[in-house]
Amino acid sequence: MEDYMKECMRKLAIWYTRTFKPIMTHDELEPIMATLGFVGLPPSTAAAAASGSLWKEYVCSAGRWVANNSAEPPPRPKLPYPRIDGLHIYTYRAFTEAVNFYLEMGNFSDLFHIRGMPLHRNLDRSRKWRRMEEDDSVFVYRDGTIDQATYNLYHFAKNSNNNNGVSNDKSKSIGLRSKGNNSTNTCVVPWKDIVPCQ
């Protein structure tokens, strides 16, 4: 039964929409980010100190953001290092929203989108996985690939959008494709629409 469950499990990955290929490591992501005006910093634990794992941050060097009177510093896109597949949806959301903070793209899915894919038989089997949600979701993420602050931010937003236990479309879905929503935030796609690759 456990082997059957593992066969059904799916992980998420960030895909480069132009080539429709998953991006599995920072070595693949960094050249794309460079063309967008971002410079990768050396991996460190400071980006997500509570997790204790290495994370890599990107800094916008293109001068797209001008300091204003806001007390909060601009977001820095960050992802666990070295692999960026099999992460929690909140980690992907924080990354894409931080990138789009600088790019201000109307349809961010023209650049990146999040998509499900099967676990790799050899590479992924030795890793520790956790279910994305407490229910019967088949989507899993690698343990240690979400920091507490990100989880609290997006999980609180999800729960605060609930209305008497019924969540709206945005609260039960996080992804990168708009369904007729004119929001300037990162676009959303329902869980049911995250189609696993075959």
Side-chain angles (χ1 to χ4, degrees):
M1 182 68 166
E2 186 175 327
D3 288 338
Y4 173 75
M5 289 299 292
K6 284 185 179 178
E7 289 299 319
C8 294
M9 285 194 245
R10 297 287 183 263
K11 65 182 177 180
L12 297 176
I14 189 166
W15 293 58
Y16 188 41
T17 303
R18 183 176 298 169
T19 60
F20 203 72
K21 290 185 178 177
I23 304 169
M24 307 302 255
T25 67
H26 284 278
D27 289 342
E28 298 169 12
L29 178 63
E30 195 157 351
I32 298 168
M33 294 295 285
T35 65
L36 301 172
F38 290 88
V39 175
L41 299 178
S44 75
T45 56
S51 72
S53 350
L54 286 177
W55 288 64
K56 186 173 179 81
E57 289 184 326
Y58 292 87
V59 177
C60 185
S61 65
R64 289 191 176 104
W65 183 78
V66 178
N68 57 24
N69 293 331
S70 173
E72 289 195 31
R76 281 194 177 172
K78 65 180 180 182
L79 291 170
Y81 183 86
R83 296 196 62 85
I84 60 173
D85 60 315
L87 308 182
H88 195 285
I89 190 68
Y90 295 164
T91 303
Y92 287 124
R93 182 175 182 184
F95 173 77
T96 57
E97 287 183 357
V99 170
N100 204 32
F101 174 87
Y102 299 96
L103 301 183
E104 297 179 345
M105 294 178 66
N107 188 2
F108 193 76
S109 64
D110 289 342
L111 178 60
F112 294 124
H113 66 278
I114 307 302
R115 188 175 179 87
M117 61 189 304
L119 296 182
H120 189 275
R121 288 184 184 272
N122 298 323
L123 184 62
D124 291 332
R125 297 301 176 190
S126 61
R127 301 178 187 273
K128 186 173 181 181
W129 297 93
R130 295 189 181 273
R131 287 196 185 274
M132 196 80 60
E133 307 249 334
E134 287 86 25
D135 60 12
D136 293 331
S137 172
V138 298
F139 287 98
V140 295
Y141 68 98
R142 284 195 328 252
D143 192 28
T145 60
I146 182 168
D147 62 46
Q148 193 62 47
T150 300
Y151 180 83
N152 291 345
L153 174 68
Y154 291 108
H155 197 68
F156 174 78
K158 174 182 172 179
N159 288 337
S160 67
N161 285 332
N162 285 351
N163 184 9
N164 294 329
V166 178
S167 56
N168 64 29
D169 286 342
K170 283 186 181 181
S171 67
K172 65 182 176 185
S173 59
I174 302 166
L176 303 177
R177 198 172 32 150
S178 177
K179 296 275 187 179
N181 181 356
N182 293 327
S183 170
T184 57
N185 295 332
T186 303
C187 304
V188 297
V189 61
W191 277 111
K192 64 183 178 61
D193 288 347
I194 301 176
V195 182
C197 300
Q198 298 300 323

